[in-house]
Amino acid sequence: QVQVVESGGGLVQPGGSLRLSCAASGFTLDDYAIGWFRQAPGKEREGVSCISGLDASTYYADSVQGRFTISRDNAKNTVYLQMSSLKPEDTAVYYCARYRDLCPVIATTRWAPLFDSWGQGTQVTVSS
């Protein structure tokens, strides 16, 4: 059964850090790209970052470039999103999902409809 499960969310102060995990089962990371997305209340789901299956190339939304880092551990079949210098506007439910082979080379705002096997999400709240 194909499944992804997110974890690691929580409450953090502005400027703080969190590491999110996306544990995959039923498929291997070598064959699929994994994307991280977020959705704030009243807003559309937006792409945040992606790591390709074939060559582990990475992509970031402009809003998180330089603050977030995506990585993967093939032995654990898990993808991570290290988030630093967090801002209140990073507050959202964060999701991971999969896409075939390589991350889509289009605007991150157009990623969501292309991905499948979504997890249940993990809440990230940045507040003092």
Side-chain angles (χ1 to χ4, degrees), residues 40-111:
K43 295 189 176 181
E44 292 188 353
R45 190 169 298 188
E46 63 174 353
V48 173
S49 182
C50 182
I51 185 165
S52 291
L54 197 61
D55 61 4
S57 54
T58 58
Y59 300 85
Y60 299 93
D62 290 343
S63 58
V64 306
Q65 180 77 46
R67 300 188 298 122
F68 290 11
T69 302
I70 192 170
S71 63
R72 72 184 192 193
D73 183 334
N74 285 358
K76 296 182 177 180
N77 222 35
T78 298
V79 171
Y80 303 99
L81 185 68
Q82 178 68 47
M83 307 186 295
S84 303
S85 302
L86 284 162
K87 306 174 181 180
E89 50 264 43
D90 295 317
T91 296
V93 178
Y94 283 71
Y95 301 87
C96 62
R98 72 170 191 176
Y99 181 70
R100 63 183 186 276
D101 285 343
L102 301 174
C103 296
V105 186
I106 57 175
T108 58
T109 53
R110 298 170 58 192
W111 281 357

Side-chain angles (χ1 to χ4, degrees), residues 19 22 24-26 29 36 41 53-54 71 85 98 101 103 112-113 117 119 122:
R19 189 179 78 159
C22 173
S25 58
L29 297 181
W36 280 101
L54 197 61
S71 63
S85 302
R98 72 170 191 176
D101 285 343
C103 296
S117 303
T122 185

